[in-house]
């Protein structure tokens, strides 16, 4: 019995020596879109919508990982635009409202502040972040007035973007972390909302998510 117990302990010890360098990530949280008809951002008068993401990550070195992320963020116009703003939109034939999902997919390298060689050697807390490149498909329903009788028109646009992510992770077990993560999706378009040039910048998306991270070994290596 003692020999069996020792064998099991040795096997478990050996198994944990093999670093789990693959991570499944699930995230959910509030988000908003910086749009020309999105609202009054300085006074925090804009629509807050949910965002969901899933990611697969491969640890490449002690402080470097390669992450692929896919997800959806719902975007919406909002706020209380002034008469001067709506007059400008009317004369430029721009959209007053835009609502719908934005689907995104990106690849980015990410860097840890505190390096670790094995998943069992992770610190309790760690900071991580990175910059990458992605593609986004935005499908919205848009109107050229605030009239409830107007039939919205469909708009579909595909654009590239630069994702910028940073997070603070907390170890909750040998194979799991929970993290607070902030993301900016800096798009290459100013026409996600059917309204171009009214704000100083293009159309960009922002997210704040609670993220669950699970370290795993591919089935073929179990």
């Amino acid at each position: 019995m003692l020999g069996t117990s020792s064998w099991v302990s040795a096997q478990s010890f050996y198994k944990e020596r093999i670093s789990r360098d693959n991570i499944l990530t699930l995230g959910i949280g509030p988000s908003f879109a910086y749009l020309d008809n999105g609202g009054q951002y300085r006074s925090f008068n804009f629509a807050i919508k949910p965002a969901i993401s899933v990611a697969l990550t491969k640890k490449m070195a002690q402080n470097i990982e390669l992450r692929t992320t896919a997800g959806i963020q719902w975007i919406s116009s909002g706020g209380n635009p002034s008469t001067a703003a709506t007059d400008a939109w009317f004369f430029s034939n721009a959209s007053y409202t835009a609502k719908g999902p934005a689907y995104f997919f990106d690849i980015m390298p990410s860097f840890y502040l505190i390096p670790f060689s094995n998943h069992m050697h992770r610190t309790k807390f760690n900071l991580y972040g990175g910059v990458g490149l992605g593609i986004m498909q935005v499908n919205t329903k848009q109107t050229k007035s605030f009239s409830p009788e107007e039939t919205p028109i469909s708009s579909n646009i595909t654009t590239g973007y630069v994702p910028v992510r940073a997070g603070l992770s907390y170890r909750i077990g040998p194979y799991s972390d929970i993290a607070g993560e902030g993301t900016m999706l800096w798009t290459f378009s100013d026409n996600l909302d059917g309204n171009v040039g009214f704000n100083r910048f293009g159309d960009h998306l922002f997210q704040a998510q609670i993220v669950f991270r699970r370290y795993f070994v591919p089935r073929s290596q179990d």
Side-chain angles (χ1 to χ4, degrees), residues 40-193:
Q40 294 73 54
Y41 295 96
R42 291 183 178 179
S43 57
F44 297 96
N45 187 12
F46 51 85
I48 302 293
K49 296 291 182 178
I52 301 171
S53 66
V54 59
L56 284 174
T57 302
K58 175 68 174 179
K59 192 165 176 287
M60 311 298 291
Q62 291 192 15
N63 66 331
I64 303 173
E65 62 186 19
L66 185 64
R67 169 172 169 168
T68 58
T69 303
I72 180 173
Q73 175 176 337
W74 285 267
I75 68 173
S76 177
S77 52
N80 298 300
S82 65
T83 301
T86 55
D87 286 347
W89 298 347
F90 176 81
F91 287 112
S92 61
N93 195 37
S95 294
Y96 286 37
T97 69
K99 298 180 180 180
Y103 303 94
F104 57 90
F105 175 83
D106 59 70
I107 300 176
M108 61 175 285
S110 186
F111 303 88
Y112 293 104
L113 179 64
I114 305 173
F116 57 94
S117 59
N118 183 289
H119 65 281
M120 298 300 290
H121 301 157
R122 304 190 323 276
T123 56
K124 201 69 173 177
F125 292 92
N126 209 343
L127 288 168
Y128 63 91
V131 179
L133 192 63
I135 188 168
M136 180 185 300
Q137 172 72 31
V138 181
N139 304 327
T140 56
K141 298 289 187 180
Q142 302 176 2
T143 66
K144 300 295 181 69
S145 73
F146 290 127
S147 172
E149 299 178 359
E150 180 180 352
T151 301
I153 59 174
S154 297
S155 175
N156 305 298
I157 185 169
T158 302
T159 183
Y161 67 91
V162 174
V164 181
R165 288 191 182 88
L168 173 63
S169 65
Y170 173 71
R171 177 175 172 169
I172 58 175
Y175 311 132
S176 302
D177 295 339
I178 192 167
E181 189 173 282
T183 300
M184 178 179 69
L185 306 182
W186 191 270
T187 80
F188 302 154
S189 175
D190 189 28
N191 195 31
L192 303 185
D193 57 353

